[in-house]
Amino acid sequence: MRTCEEFRELISGFLDDALSPEERVELMAHLADCPQCKAYFDDLLGIHEAMAEEEIHAPQGFAQSVMAGLPDQEAKPRKTPLAARILAAAACFMFIFTGIWMVGGQPRQEAPAMPKNAREAPAVSAAAFSAGDDGEESRAMTLTVLSLSSDGLTGKNEDCAESGEGCFNDPSLVVVLYCEETQFPQGRPKEGDRIIVTGVPAEVTDADPLRAFRVEILK
Amino acid sequence: MNEQEKVRAAASGDQAAFGLLVEDYQDKVYHLALRMCGNEEDAWDIAQEAFWAAWRGLPSFRGESGFSTWLYRLTSNAAVDHLRRGKRQRGDISLDDPDTGPDPQDLSPGPQEQAESSELQSAVAAGLRRLSDHHRQVLTLRELRGLSYEEVGDILELDPGTVKSRISRARAALRKILLEDGNLSGYLPSNHIDTKKRRGSHEDM
């Protein structure tokens, strides 16, 4: 049997519509028997309604004052024309080719799993690396290596499978990396290795389409 | 233009679109700010700071929580900053003491409030000013903006269970204040005030 103290928590939950049907029945039965809790209930209901129904308007001139003093907006990645273009291209690309996303420099002829029109979207979308709470680019992505080729690898993006954020909500997102040896300080990974791709520059330019990343193999 | 379109346009620097969002939300944000800080002058500053923070941050706003919840979070943050600054200036002891409410000088309602509120609403507003900051925060987010425990928890970085029990305690504390001020007498059996007073010392958390 609950104490009155416990029933008062239920009363609060009742006002928030957060009770199970059983709790609700139990509470109503108690209120019928306990005048103190019934009075408590009535008081809280009165307060609840008074607050919910209160209407307050912002003073005259408030909106104008806000607009007149607007500060500068924070810089954003999509001010980079190429990054914006790649975002659009990558979205289209994924739609057509079911979850293959290009990461790396200019693709070569023997590139792994390289559909033709992907060459128009050779670099990474910055969105793939946007994992910070405040939209800061975390510049890191965890992949499981699916296959290797002479100049790159294909990996499954674990971050996307977990959060779906910044990855067009595709849990099966596959990333194709075009890599140079210098990007593998620990040697080339093997199939099934988990790797972290880091060092992605904040802005991707035409002159240097994302060659600065490094690959670290997780032990 | 729907809200999503306004948010998207504002995020890419469209001031007119942001102006529409300000129009849409100014009453809600100002109301929340007013009840969080307790006076109209601070409410103006807090609400304004919240909108400015929204404008600054919109380019990196990614929309997981919805624009309104995000905006209320910014309002809540601005209110907390404001209260802390005020306390620091006054040399109050602890910035994190959950039992410190605003100054008694902040307790009188402004003219606009008096004109627009019912008697009980005015009493509740006055009572809110005497709640601890922690209690006032959860209760205003829940009651004024109708946010769920999860949303309140998201804003205040608390788990929903903590939000739930803190809201319950906040309501009990607010009722106690209103009873002491004689503002809930119409609801009560006569022996009830004494019962409340006996158990009134551990309301906060």
Side-chain angles (χ1 to χ4, degrees), chain A residues 5 8-9 12 16 39-40 43 48 50 54-55 57-58 65-67 71-74 76 130 132 134, chain B residues 10-13 15 27 31 35 48 52 55-56 60 62 112 121 142-143 149 168 171 175 187-188 199:
Chain A
E5 198 65 39
R8 290 175 185 203
E9 253 201 57
S12 182
D16 298 329
Y40 185 90
D43 287 347
H48 172 72
E54 183 180 66
E55 263 195 60
H57 299 290
S65 167
V66 169
M67 296 309 292
D72 290 338
Q73 267 190 327
E74 284 169 6
K76 51 190 163 183
S130 296
D134 300 307
Chain B
S12 41
Q15 292 200 6
D27 290 348
H31 188 190
R35 291 293 167 250
Q48 182 159 263
W52 286 345
W55 171 252
R56 277 196 301 272
S60 43
R62 296 186 304 137
Q112 188 188 359
Q121 281 170 340
R142 167 67 208 141
E143 297 284 38
Y149 296 153
S168 176
R171 285 180 166 135
R175 174 178 182 266
Y187 293 93
L188 282 175
R199 43 174 286 276

Side-chain angles (χ1 to χ4, degrees), chain A residues 4-180:
Chain A
C4 284
E5 198 65 39
E6 289 165 337
F7 274 114
R8 290 175 185 203
E9 253 201 57
L10 286 191
I11 288 172
S12 182
F14 176 87
L15 296 175
D16 298 329
D17 207 12
L19 297 191
S20 68
E22 294 76 23
E23 286 172 327
R24 191 179 285 255
V25 168
E26 207 183 330
L27 173 63
M28 290 304 141
H30 178 72
L31 293 183
D33 287 342
C34 178
Q36 282 79 20
C37 284
K38 178 64 168 56
Y40 185 90
F41 176 84
D42 290 342
D43 287 347
L44 257 55
L45 185 62
I47 293 169
H48 172 72
E49 287 176 348
M51 289 184 80
E53 288 166 9
E54 183 180 66
E55 263 195 60
I56 293 283
H57 299 290
Q60 285 286 325
F62 174 76
Q64 291 85 332
S65 167
V66 169
M67 296 309 292
L70 280 189
D72 290 338
Q73 267 190 327
E74 284 169 6
K76 51 190 163 183
R78 54 203 182 77
K79 277 180 180 162
T80 308
L82 180 67
R85 211 171 67 226
I86 290 162
L87 265 173
C92 176
F93 181 60
M94 286 190 43
F95 178 71
I96 299 167
F97 294 100
T98 59
I100 298 180
W101 203 346
M102 310 309 298
V103 176
Q106 296 297 332
R108 301 169 197 173
Q109 289 303 318
E110 322 79 60
M114 182 64 187
K116 259 190 174 170
N117 65 347
R119 287 168 200 181
E120 290 161 25
V124 70
S125 155
F129 296 89
S130 296
D133 261 336
D134 300 307
E136 291 291 321
E137 286 178 15
S138 69
R139 304 184 198 177
M141 181 160 64
T142 310
L143 303 176
T144 305
V145 177
L146 298 176
S147 64
L148 290 154
S149 70
S150 58
D151 63 350
L153 61 84
T154 308
K156 186 171 184 299
N157 187 349
E158 295 182 1
D159 299 327
C160 287
E162 278 170 22
S163 70
E165 287 173 6
C167 306
F168 302 102
N169 296 318
D170 185 343
S172 64
L173 183 69
V174 171
V175 177
V176 182
L177 285 166
Y178 292 91
C179 307
E180 294 174 351

